[in-house]
Amino acid sequence: MTRNAPPRAWQRMLSGRRLDLLDPSPLDVEIEDIAHGLARVARWNGQTRGAHIFSVAQHSLLVEEIARLARPGLSRQWRRAILLHDAPEYVIGDMISPFKAVLGGSYKDVEKRLLAAIHVRFGLPVAPPRPLTTLTKTADHASAFLEATRLAGFSSDEAMRFFGRPVAVPHAIDDWIEPWSADVAQTRFLARFAELDEAAPPMQARPA
């Protein structure tokens, strides 16, 4: 690095793209990079049971599945938005909530800019409608409760204090909790994205 040169604020992706964290361009966002990165980012700082990490890619699929079960008529575009709710973490990692609190607003600013670029890249509104945001948070908290109690060593009472009373989920969801390998998580994430992207109808004004 040249003396006094500004620090590098971009990351090179395996696709060859260079994504600027300070001013991310939608043109530098590729779903293959997102899937590859999220499949290798550990939830809970890796402090989970199992032979593999519980990746952000697997978490994202679980959240989208919980939302789909809660709202069976949800359009593919909005399910795609839910699948991508943690997509910025393919660049900035999954920072645990206590550390986010230490960093304050600067982390959130970077995260918001990245998510906005990702949404633009895939034809989603920068600011999703409030009902979708609420649904995403509900499904995210339900997923966190399941992960906390089944993988991360939390008691039910402790998890309830941090994530709220869990919504009811069918037993079939158990199949989504056992940690997958990175390759499996990446493949399933890409497959679900393609399924939700294929022949998508015009976007609706509100989740339906």
Side-chain angles (χ1 to χ4, degrees):
M1 180 182 297
T2 304
R3 180 174 293 182
N4 298 325
R8 178 171 63 90
W10 53 264
Q11 179 175 346
R12 184 183 298 281
M13 302 297 169
L14 288 179
S15 65
R17 298 289 189 183
R18 296 202 310 185
L19 186 65
D20 189 330
L21 273 69
L22 299 179
D23 186 22
S25 169
L27 297 176
D28 291 324
V29 174
E30 300 290 350
I31 192 59
E32 292 79 11
D33 292 332
I34 292 173
H36 181 91
L38 294 186
R40 289 159 177 80
V41 174
R43 293 272 290 169
W44 309 97
N45 269 355
Q47 297 299 308
T48 51
R49 302 185 182 98
H52 303 286
I53 64 167
F54 190 82
S55 70
V56 174
Q58 185 169 353
H59 163 79
S60 299
L61 286 161
L62 176 56
V63 171
E64 188 269 322
E65 177 70 2
I66 292 172
R68 182 189 68 82
L69 292 169
R71 295 285 297 278
L74 198 64
S75 67
R76 286 198 293 272
Q77 293 97 332
W78 297 134
R79 288 173 58 192
R80 187 156 30 110
I82 294 172
L83 182 67
L84 294 170
H85 78 282
D86 277 341
E89 294 178 5
Y90 88 107
V91 182
I92 57 179
D94 182 27
M95 199 169 294
I96 60 174
S97 296
F99 197 34
K100 287 182 184 179
V102 172
L103 291 180
S106 58
Y107 175 89
K108 279 294 181 185
D109 289 343
V110 173
E111 186 177 45
K112 286 178 181 177
R113 285 196 293 268
L114 286 167
L115 188 58
I118 291 165
H119 276 206
V120 172
R121 171 65 176 85
F122 298 117
L124 296 164
V126 171
R130 184 168 306 212
L132 184 73
T133 301
T134 300
L135 176 62
T136 303
K137 287 182 178 179
T138 299
D140 192 34
H141 288 171
S143 177
F145 183 93
L146 290 170
E147 297 166 30
T149 53
R150 302 197 186 184
L151 298 173
F154 284 62
S155 69
S156 292
D157 288 343
E158 188 178 25
M160 197 174 299
R161 286 201 305 274
F162 293 117
F163 309 114
R165 186 175 297 278
V167 298
V169 294
H171 289 299
I173 212 75
D174 290 351
D175 296 336
W176 298 78
I177 297 295
E178 186 67 26
W180 305 328
S181 70
D183 287 345
V184 168
Q186 179 176 345
T187 298
R188 291 183 179 179
F189 186 95
L190 285 171
R192 178 55 59 88
F193 181 88
E195 175 190 340
L196 298 177
D197 193 44
E198 186 176 33
M203 290 182 63
Q204 302 174 26
R206 295 174 68 87

